[in-house]
């Protein structure tokens, strides 16, 4: 691993961690209550290994097969890794996802819940689960509609015995993120859901002000992705 690359990655991470700490302090929150999820999709191996060398242990991926290729061997080398699926999951990939990921942040439909329950029984492990909420009600975006969230969370608990750990959202790119983060926090509070996955490179400090317990940061940590996600 080149010294220059390592230096670049160390300083990028230090800056993000410092900004999270400042945002947390400004919001009267404990810095330790915000987890940094390094979004490693599409990044080259040398950048992943440099990030691992900084001590960063929580990573987010948005595709099951790509994540398997990147993490299966590294997982054995770093037993304290935490892998989170933050992209849409097809039911027919549920088994692979349950085998690999510690957290699945994109539960948003009954068919997927059934597949995850089945896969968890077969694999003998249940990932921690987040419900994705489509706060901007965008056609093309995954997630349950805000007005359906309460009933969906209740059904997940009642019908599948899932302990819903958190909620996740991806606000519309062209809108201010704050109102979307506030909406997600409100839905979580009224449903007794503890964790909030919100905020990306462009808006993670705002997310921390609105109560994010994890932020998903890719390009601000690794540099721009060379291929589309
Ligand atoms: C790619 C991705 C991110 C990270 O995006 P950056 O803008 O590079 O920080 C966060 N969340 C999800 C769901 C993503 O797909």
């Amino acid at each position: 691993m080149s010294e220059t690359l390592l230096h670049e990655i160390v300083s990028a991470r230090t800056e993000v961690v410092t900004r999270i700490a400042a945002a947390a302090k400004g919001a009267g929150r404990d810095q330790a209550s915000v987890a940094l999820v390094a979004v490693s999709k599409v990044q080259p191996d040398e950048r992943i290994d440099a990030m691992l060398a900084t001590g960063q242990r929580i990573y987010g991926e948005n595709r099951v097969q790509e994540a398997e290729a990147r993490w299966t061997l590294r997982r054995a080398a770093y037993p304290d890794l935490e892998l989170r699926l933050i992209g849409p999951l097809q039911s027919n990939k549920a088994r692979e996802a349950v085998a690999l990921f510690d957290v699945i942040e994109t539960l948003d439909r009954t068919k997927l819940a059934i597949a995850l329950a089945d896969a968890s029984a077969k694999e003998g492990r249940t990932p921690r689960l987040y419900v994705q909420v489509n706060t901007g009600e965008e056609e093309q975006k995954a997630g349950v509609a805000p007005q359906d969230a309460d009933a969906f969370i209740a059904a997940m608990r009642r019908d599948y015995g899932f302990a819903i750990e958190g909620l996740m959202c991806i606000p519309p790119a062209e809108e201010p993120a704050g109102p979307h983060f506030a909406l997600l926090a409100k839905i979580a509070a009224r449903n007794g859901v503890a964790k909030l996955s919100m905020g990306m490179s462009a808006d993670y400090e705002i997310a921390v002000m609105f109560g994010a317990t994890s932020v998903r940061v890719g390009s601000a940590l690794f540099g721009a992705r060379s291929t589309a996600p």
Side-chain angles (χ1 to χ4, degrees), residues 39 41 62 86 168 170 200-201 216-219 225:
V39 178
K41 63 184 181 196
N62 68 347
I86 60 172
M168 178 269 217
I170 310 169
M200 317 196 335
S201 290
R216 309 178 306 268
V217 182
S219 39
R225 286 179 289 275

Side-chain angles (χ1 to χ4, degrees), residues 123-147:
E123 291 293 324
R125 77 194 292 266
T126 307
R128 291 143 53 201
L129 296 173
Y130 284 52
V131 169
Q132 181 175 357
V133 182
N134 187 0
T135 57
E137 301 180 60
E138 295 172 280
E139 280 295 324
Q140 78 287 5
K141 207 164 265 175
V144 297
Q147 64 273 19

Side-chain angles (χ1 to χ4, degrees), residues 141-155:
K141 207 164 265 175
V144 297
Q147 64 273 19
D148 299 335
D150 296 3
F152 184 78
I153 294 163

